[in-house]
């Protein structure tokens, strides 16, 4: 039987990379860890919650490449004390 995750239009790549998020609601950038990435979104662990619908800037850098994008928060789930999993929908790649 095919599960929900198996029916996605784009496969998710599991990664463990540092990201920096800029939001209008926080004075300083928020650092996090990107757990997974697809063509249309990403899952990021952060230490503070973000509002669903909030638009943010994201930068994911690696040794060989970097990705900068505008994204929208589509989900924010508490994973423990000061640990939140946010789902981001990529709006535009810069």
């Amino acid at each position: 039987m095919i599960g929900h995750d198996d029916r996605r239009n784009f496969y998710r790549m599991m990664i463990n990379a540092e990201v920096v998020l800029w939001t209008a609601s926080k004075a300083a950038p928020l650092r996090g860890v990107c757990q997974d990435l697809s063509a249309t979104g990403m899952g990021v662990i952060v230490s503070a919650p973000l509002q669903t619908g909030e638009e943010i800037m994201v930068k994911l850098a690696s040794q060989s490449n970097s990705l900068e994008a505008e994204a929208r928060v589509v989900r924010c789930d508490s994973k423990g004390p000061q640990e939140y999993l946010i789902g981001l929908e990529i709006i535009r790649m810069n």
Side-chain angles (χ1 to χ4, degrees):
M1 182 179 205
I2 296 175
H4 173 71
D5 289 341
D6 297 326
R7 293 180 287 178
R8 294 182 184 273
N9 290 330
F10 298 99
Y11 289 103
R12 288 181 179 251
M13 179 174 49
M14 306 311 274
I15 61 175
N16 188 23
E18 184 177 324
V19 293
V20 181
L21 312 170
W22 289 270
T23 72
S25 63
K26 308 246 186 268
L30 184 62
R31 296 193 177 276
V33 176
C34 181
Q35 289 192 318
D36 61 73
L37 177 66
S38 77
T40 59
M42 63 178 67
V44 178
I45 298 289
V46 293
S47 61
L50 296 177
Q51 293 293 319
T52 300
E54 185 172 11
E55 292 188 5
I56 64 172
M57 294 296 299
V58 180
K59 182 172 184 177
L60 182 148
S62 70
Q63 292 177 351
S64 60
N65 244 335
S66 69
L67 171 123
E68 292 185 26
E70 295 176 40
R72 180 178 301 114
V73 178
V74 294
R75 186 180 72 248
C76 182
D77 299 325
S78 177
K79 292 298 195 185
Q82 295 187 338
E83 185 176 61
Y84 300 87
L85 172 61
I86 58 170
L88 298 175
E89 173 189 17
I90 295 172
I91 300 169
R92 180 179 22 242
M93 302 289 267
N94 297 334

